[in-house]
Amino acid sequence: MDTTFDISPLIHKGGVYKDVEGSTPEEIYENVCKMLDLPDSMTSEQVYNALCAREKILSTAVGNGIALPHARSPIMKDEADQRICVVYLKEPLEMAAPDEKKVSVMFILLTQNSQTHLKVLSTLVGLFRKNSFRKLLEEHAGEAQLINAIKELD
């Protein structure tokens, strides 16, 4: 059984956004959603509302300065539209992380089904355990650096 899931194409599709401003998760989501290149079947308002609704239930901060915002249920209609948006915040944000560290990077997960969502989460958790990958996040690495690191650490 293949235990690794290549998230590189999803990051390529979602993009990397640096110095995103906002003093609340909602402000960050609003600013990111305005920048997203979404499929015709999806509006930035739908993505924003889905991310905010999920955040109201429980913080998506996972520790080490990282949050994994996502919708409560998959929102992309087609598998080809799935994406992960890597968002570096201009200012670290308090999001009630389990380790009490402020969030400085978000991986916004926009998936089409629960299976893909869980595979992406599992892959990201594996990457976050690696010091070299966390260091890249602290340095606000660009898309090419992140994808190279993912391939090397795979």
Side-chain angles (χ1 to χ4, degrees):
M1 185 176 131
D2 181 24
T3 56
T4 57
F5 181 75
D6 186 7
I7 60 171
S8 301
L10 298 178
I11 290 174
H12 179 68
K13 183 124 185 135
V16 174
Y17 303 87
K18 294 188 178 187
D19 293 327
V20 176
E21 295 188 27
S23 56
T24 65
E26 294 77 16
E27 286 178 17
I28 300 287
Y29 303 155
E30 184 177 3
N31 291 333
V32 170
C33 287
K34 288 176 186 168
M35 297 183 244
L36 296 180
D37 178 21
L38 294 167
D40 293 336
S41 62
M42 179 74 44
T43 67
S44 59
E45 192 177 337
Q46 286 173 302
V47 174
Y48 170 78
N49 289 336
L51 294 175
C52 289
R54 170 61 185 80
E55 199 68 46
K56 279 186 185 125
I57 295 168
L58 185 69
S59 173
T60 55
V62 295
N64 285 315
I66 302 166
L68 301 173
H70 57 279
R72 285 175 57 193
S73 55
I75 59 173
M76 289 299 173
K77 296 197 181 358
D78 296 312
E79 194 171 336
D81 293 332
Q82 299 183 115
R83 64 199 69 208
I84 299 170
C85 307
V86 181
V87 179
Y88 295 110
L89 308 185
K90 186 165 186 163
E91 297 292 330
L93 188 62
E94 174 54 53
M95 285 182 67
D99 63 1
E100 299 180 1
K101 285 187 182 172
K102 288 186 174 185
V103 169
S104 56
V105 62
M106 294 179 170
F107 285 74
I108 298 179
L109 314 180
L110 301 175
T111 55
Q112 186 243 342
N113 60 58
S114 299
Q115 292 82 357
T116 302
H117 182 78
L118 292 173
K119 286 178 186 174
V120 166
L121 284 176
S122 174
T123 301
L124 285 171
V125 166
L127 288 168
F128 298 157
R129 286 190 180 129
K130 302 197 185 321
N131 288 330
S132 58
F133 192 77
R134 288 200 314 270
K135 188 164 172 33
L136 283 176
L137 296 180
E138 288 167 16
E139 295 167 355
H140 293 197
E143 180 185 323
Q145 286 175 288
L146 291 174
I147 288 174
N148 286 340
I150 290 165
K151 290 185 171 146
E152 285 172 19
L153 295 170
D154 203 15

